């Protein structure tokens, strides 16, 4: 069982931003802007994660939860609607695998290793877009890895597909 806590701070440097009304029409952004600087340009938050794994000599499996508290990442949010849209969605990860001996012995020379990873993170399109990623409503990843190989006393040789 594992627990993780992190503290994050995001900062917006208002002086380094350029706006459309600063364009002089020729080549540079040198006009003053009419945009009003917000009162707060930083956002700090705590993020909690947890997970666990079970295993024996041939198999393992685990489950992890990231962003359990779904922290608010928004720096400029002024109303409840944007506060809801800017929360970091929880991510769930399920993983497992095992070693399957081909000759049935406890210390096999030939074996197959199977591994699996599944991740899901649901969110709003605006949430993923504001962080610079393409707009997706949901992230689902499923990965299966099959390895076949041989081992000696000091070396392991595997082919992965």
């Amino acid at each position: 069982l594992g627990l993780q806590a992190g503290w994050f701070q995001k900062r917006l440097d208002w002086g380094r931003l350029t706006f459309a009304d600063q364009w002089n029409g020729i080549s540079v952004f040198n006009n003053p802007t009419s945009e009003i600087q917000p009162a707060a340009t930083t956002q700090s938050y705590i993020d909690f994660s947890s997970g666990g794994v079970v295993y024996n000599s041939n198999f393992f499996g685990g489950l992890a939860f990231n962003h359990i508290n779904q922290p608010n990442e928004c720096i400029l949010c002024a109303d409840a609607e944007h506060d809801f849209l800017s929360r970091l969605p929880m991510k769930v990860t399920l993983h497992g695998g095992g070693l399957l001996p081909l000759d049935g012995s406890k210390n096999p020379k030939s074996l197959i290793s199977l591994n699996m990873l599944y991740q899901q993170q649901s969110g709003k399109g605006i949430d993923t877009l504001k962080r610079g990623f393409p707009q997706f409503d949901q992230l689902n990843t499923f990965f299966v890895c099959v390895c076949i190989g041989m081992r000696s006393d000091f070396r392991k040789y595997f082919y992965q597909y």
Side-chain angles (χ1 to χ4, degrees):
L1 179 64
L3 300 172
Q4 178 182 2
W7 179 76
F8 298 88
Q9 183 178 39
K10 294 185 176 189
R11 182 176 165 265
L12 177 64
D13 187 354
W14 191 263
R16 296 186 70 183
L17 297 177
T18 55
F19 299 95
D21 63 346
Q22 292 178 287
W23 175 250
N24 70 359
I26 300 171
S27 63
V28 293
F29 288 88
N30 61 0
N31 294 327
T33 183
S34 61
E35 295 291 328
I36 299 170
Q37 182 173 347
T41 56
T42 60
Q43 172 72 319
S44 300
Y45 61 91
I46 296 175
D47 191 12
F48 295 104
S49 300
S50 179
V53 67
V54 294
Y55 64 93
N56 63 25
S57 60
N58 291 324
F59 298 100
F60 72 92
L63 183 64
F65 299 95
N66 298 90
H67 321 302
I68 294 171
N69 57 325
Q70 298 185 9
N72 180 3
E73 293 186 298
C74 187
I75 296 174
L76 304 176
C77 295
D79 55 32
E81 178 185 355
H82 289 101
D83 178 67
F84 173 74
L85 291 174
S86 65
R87 293 203 170 272
L88 186 58
M90 183 167 49
K91 180 174 75 171
V92 178
T93 303
L94 175 67
H95 58 93
L99 298 174
L100 305 172
L102 293 177
D103 60 7
S105 68
K106 289 187 176 188
N107 194 9
K109 299 285 185 195
S110 299
L111 51 93
I112 295 177
S113 173
L114 298 172
N115 296 284
M116 177 274 304
L117 172 70
Y118 174 77
Q119 292 181 318
Q120 179 186 18
Q121 185 173 18
S122 300
K124 308 289 184 228
I126 192 172
D127 189 40
T128 54
L129 183 63
K130 79 171 181 54
R131 282 188 253 128
F133 295 108
Q135 184 171 350
F136 294 110
D137 286 335
Q138 204 170 38
L139 166 69
N140 288 310
T141 304
F142 184 69
F143 174 74
V144 175
C145 173
V146 178
C147 302
I148 187 164
M150 298 170 35
R151 66 179 171 188
S152 64
D153 292 336
F154 299 104
R155 293 193 174 113
K156 295 179 182 179
Y157 302 97
F158 280 92
Y159 175 76
Q160 178 177 329
Y161 178 76

